[in-house]
Amino acid sequence: MIRRTKILIVEDEKDIVELVHYNLEKEGYSVTAVSSGEDALKALERDLPALIVLDLMLPGMDGLETCRLIKQEPKTKNIPIIMLTAKSEESDVIVGLKLGADDYVTKPFSPKILMARIKAVLRRTAEKQVSHDVKTIGALTIDTPKHKVMYKDKEIDLTRIEFNILEFLSRQPGRVFSRDQIMDGAWKEGKFIVDRAVDVHVRGLRKKLGKAADFVETVRGVGYRFKEIEDN
Ligand code: CA
């Protein structure tokens, strides 16, 4: 099965949803659409998209409040958001960007513009996530350039995929990733893999980590996360 990048649209205007939906699917994205902020939060409990297209004018909870709630939740705060706004809502755009939204598109917009913005934001997010660092978390050191993991100065011999999973999870401690997201993030090539493969690799990874195994936490029904450690 080919994994497609998931996008969540939050918009109550059917015409716009159809337009965005159609264009995103044509570009190969997998699309979920909901018509309120409340439904968006529910959808995020089930599944984490790679990006959210969020209209600001929504029935019930408005887009800004929805954005605020998404950005304050550790599990969802790193999902990029592109706001859809009306010309008259320009002051809201500033608020939205301050809340952590990545970009905005003013209505009426051409699908081409929105697609270009979505791609740009996804690209920036991916670049941000590529780490070339040597990270130290407690007694664990993840040396990405050398593809090496050390625990209490002892090297742990991991397979490439085990290393990729550990490195991927450790980029955002505390954030839960679904198996799909781990596959997308940790398998650089060939995504023709079943969900269960992630479990197998995580099991292998934990075994090798030994005492450091609890850095990789299972979140039942959702996926895995790297343990968040309070430093300072
Ligand atoms: Ca609307």
Side-chain angles (χ1 to χ4, degrees):
M1 199 202 314
I2 300 172
R3 303 270 159 198
R4 294 185 300 162
T5 304
K6 288 178 189 157
I7 309 245
L8 174 67
I9 311 171
V10 192
E11 165 66 285
D12 58 312
E13 282 163 80
K14 287 207 173 71
D15 295 353
I16 294 180
V17 172
E18 269 173 32
L19 182 73
V20 175
H21 202 297
Y22 171 78
N23 282 281
L24 281 170
E25 292 222 307
K26 207 172 69 181
E27 294 280 331
Y29 296 103
S30 148
V31 183
T32 305
V34 294
S35 56
S36 73
E38 289 85 348
D39 286 345
L41 298 180
K42 272 185 221 148
L44 290 171
E45 278 171 24
R46 290 190 299 268
D47 200 13
L48 300 178
L51 183 141
I52 301 168
V53 177
L54 174 66
D55 184 40
L56 290 191
M57 195 77 91
L58 294 168
M61 183 163 68
D62 68 22
L64 286 179
E65 179 62 8
T66 309
C67 179
R68 197 180 62 76
L69 292 173
I70 292 170
K71 290 295 175 186
Q72 79 177 24
E73 170 66 40
K75 198 174 111 185
T76 56
K77 70 178 182 192
N78 291 308
I79 303 172
I81 295 179
I82 296 182
M83 302 177 281
L84 297 181
T85 70
K87 200 117 194 95
S88 58
E89 296 165 356
E90 268 169 358
S91 60
D92 288 346
V93 168
I94 314 284
V95 178
L97 293 173
K98 274 192 188 152
L99 287 172
D102 288 73
D103 203 350
Y104 69 100
V105 173
T106 308
K107 291 178 186 173
F109 55 86
S110 81
K112 264 192 186 164
I113 297 273
L114 179 65
M115 292 308 127
R117 296 287 178 82
I118 287 174
K119 283 183 186 163
V121 168
L122 286 174
R123 199 166 49 234
R124 282 206 303 269
T125 311
E127 279 164 9
K128 223 170 18 189
Q129 288 177 351
V130 173
S131 155
H132 302 287
D133 312 337
V134 179
K135 240 177 309 191
T136 304
I137 312 110
L140 189 70
T141 302
I142 303 173
D143 184 335
T144 304
K146 289 186 185 153
H147 257 240
K148 255 171 64 174
V149 173
M150 314 277 290
Y151 183 66
K152 292 185 174 163
D153 297 326
K154 230 184 109 206
E155 186 173 347
I156 297 169
D157 188 22
L158 299 178
T159 64
R160 191 171 44 83
I161 288 196
E162 288 163 353
F163 179 86
N164 287 348
I165 292 175
L166 182 68
E167 193 277 323
F168 175 73
L169 293 175
S170 73
R171 289 176 205 167
Q172 294 179 51
R175 174 172 169 189
V176 187
F177 291 95
S178 67
R179 291 174 178 84
D180 272 12
Q181 289 172 320
I182 294 170
M183 277 187 268
D184 284 343
W187 269 259
K188 313 289 179 202
E189 67 287 313
K191 291 171 184 166
F192 302 85
I193 293 165
V194 292
D195 284 19
R196 289 298 138 205
V198 174
D199 298 337
V200 172
H201 290 294
V202 168
R203 212 177 301 139
L205 170 64
R206 281 204 181 116
K207 209 169 164 187
K208 291 179 184 172
L209 286 173
K211 282 192 175 135
D214 52 359
F215 276 107
V216 180
E217 300 178 323
T218 303
V219 182
R220 280 190 64 170
V222 186
Y224 298 98
R225 76 174 159 223
F226 195 88
K227 189 177 184 171
E228 196 161 23
I229 290 183
E230 304 278 334
D231 41 16
N232 314 325

